Amino acid sequence: MSSAPVEGLALVRARDLHSRFSASLGTSPSNVWNFENLSGRLVEVSQHKPSGAFTLAANLIKHAQKLGRGVAWVAGTDSIFYPPDFSQSGVDLSRLPIVWALGKLNSLMSTELLLRSGAFGLLLVDLGWDWRINDASLGRLGKLLEVWGSAIVFLTRKTPEQASIGSLISLRLVLTRSGVGPFTILGRITRDRRHGGESQEKKVYHGPCGLY
């Protein structure tokens, strides 16, 4: 049984939603939002309410998988992404192991162990609500990234005004959303230690009727 779309919303395929949003971020002047340019970096993607972070994560995972790099998802909260949406976006779920770490300490321990194995080029670490990570922990992870040419993307829930999870974060993207029908996603780079400066991209698009 199917339901009629809510008035003011357009029903689209998950892969179409993915391509619209990733295309807007891909036009960033420094063109940092692909796996190759994130290599060796500690990255944080922040959003206060659902604003496209998982869509961006799916795009990075797909890119890393196409390059033959191992990818893992470390779940620091009690929920994860919606698998059918990732599959529709082109992610090979059979090559995406999920570690249910639950909590900051378990998440950091799991991330370090995965990195030390040398089997993973990209780790997505969903930390949920605002946490802080000390420089010693981030420093160890950063050195392992340099050894293996890997990247870590921390996904956090926080307002744009809240500070990054740590001073050693190399790249931070803050996502915000406005509107209900067609809504606007603003992706703002607030820290980029490799390229310097700030930049932002804005995109208006329709989500599926279940998105709010």
Side-chain angles (χ1 to χ4, degrees):
M1 179 181 295
S2 61
S3 58
V6 178
E7 183 178 357
L9 295 182
L11 185 61
V12 297
R13 294 179 183 272
R15 59 172 173 259
D16 296 333
L17 176 63
H18 156 78
S19 63
R20 292 183 191 184
F21 183 60
S22 61
S24 70
L25 290 176
T27 59
S28 173
S30 57
N31 194 28
V32 295
W33 292 108
N34 64 66
F35 170 73
E36 292 168 316
N37 285 325
L38 297 183
S39 176
R41 308 185 74 178
L42 294 164
V43 181
E44 180 180 2
V45 177
S46 304
Q47 60 181 8
H48 180 56
K49 60 182 179 180
S51 301
F54 281 10
T55 301
L56 176 61
N59 188 51
L60 292 174
I61 292 170
K62 182 174 67 172
H63 188 199
Q65 288 181 336
K66 284 185 176 180
L67 294 174
R69 302 299 301 270
V71 184
W73 186 283
V74 179
T77 67
D78 58 0
S79 64
I80 61 168
F81 56 89
Y82 186 55
D85 278 354
F86 269 36
S87 180
Q88 286 280 356
S89 296
V91 172
D92 185 350
L93 296 177
S94 68
R95 297 167 53 203
L96 181 61
I98 298 170
V99 178
W100 289 94
L102 300 181
K104 181 176 73 172
L105 293 180
N106 287 338
S107 296
L108 291 177
M109 184 182 302
S110 300
T111 300
E112 186 169 337
L113 288 173
L114 291 170
L115 273 181
R116 289 187 182 279
S117 73
F120 298 96
L122 175 64
L123 295 175
L124 287 300
V125 186
D126 185 7
L127 295 180
W129 296 102
D130 186 33
W131 287 350
R132 293 287 294 175
I133 302 176
N134 61 54
D135 287 349
S137 297
L138 288 177
R140 285 197 303 273
L141 294 176
K143 290 188 179 301
L144 290 170
L145 293 180
E146 293 175 2
V147 170
W148 298 109
S150 303
I152 297 176
V153 177
F154 294 102
L155 304 173
T156 59
R157 287 286 191 94
K158 59 178 65 174
T159 64
E161 294 75 25
Q162 289 177 288
S164 174
I165 57 175
S167 61
L168 296 185
I169 291 296
S170 173
L171 179 67
R172 185 186 179 196
L173 175 70
V174 177
L175 300 174
T176 55
R177 189 188 84 187
S178 62
V180 177
F183 51 85
T184 300
I185 295 296
L186 177 65
R188 181 163 58 94
I189 295 176
T190 61
R191 178 188 301 176
D192 188 349
R193 296 190 183 278
R194 183 173 292 178
H195 299 95
E198 296 187 5
S199 62
Q200 64 183 28
E201 294 293 333
K202 182 183 294 184
K203 183 68 175 178
V204 178
Y205 66 100
H206 296 264
C209 60
L211 191 64
Y212 60 91

